[in-house]
Amino acid sequence: MQKDGCAACHGIDKKIVGPAYVDVAAKYKGDAGAQAKLAQKIKAGGAGVWGQVPMPPNPQVPDDDIKALVSWILALKK
Ligand code: HEC
């Protein structure tokens, strides 16, 4: 997550530009479709879930990295 530039906007347990990853994990806890949904969102970008500030698309991040990142985020706990 450091090398993909995510850390510029996301903290593990504090909000920067985007939501804290622990808050993302809490929001999608128990959501079976979360893995696919978040992978898609990270790649394509988007807004409106956490506020008006959009996340830019991250097309440079390899799919395998995105998958690993999403798994890692969803496994975080407060
Ligand atoms: C330029 C700042 C920025 C960068 C860089 C960025 N994000 Fe985000 N991210 C945001 C913002 C802002 C939101 C909230 C979007 C919304 O409200 O829907 C967000 C939302 C998210 C969400 C939650 C999506 C949802 O629909 O609930 C995840 C997961 C996420 N980012 C992961 C990542 C990962 C992984 C990377 C690195 C590959 C990354 N972000 C890079 C700003 C950023």
Side-chain angles (χ1 to χ4, degrees), residues 36-49:
K37 195 156 66 187
L38 293 180
Q40 173 62 31
K41 168 91 166 228
I42 292 166
K43 214 174 174 68
V49 177

Side-chain angles (χ1 to χ4, degrees), residues 6-70:
C6 319
C9 297
H10 294 282
I12 291 177
D13 56 7
K14 69 176 197 295
K15 187 173 188 291
I16 303 177
V17 179
Y21 285 146
V22 287
D23 292 336
V24 175
K27 182 178 170 73
Y28 292 100
K29 197 160 169 270
D31 182 342
Q35 173 89 33
K37 195 156 66 187
L38 293 180
Q40 173 62 31
K41 168 91 166 228
I42 292 166
K43 214 174 174 68
V49 177
W50 296 87
Q52 291 311 305
V53 188
M55 173 158 63
N58 296 281
Q60 82 286 1
V61 184
D63 285 353
D64 282 353
D65 281 17
I66 291 189
K67 232 159 98 186
L69 280 161
V70 173

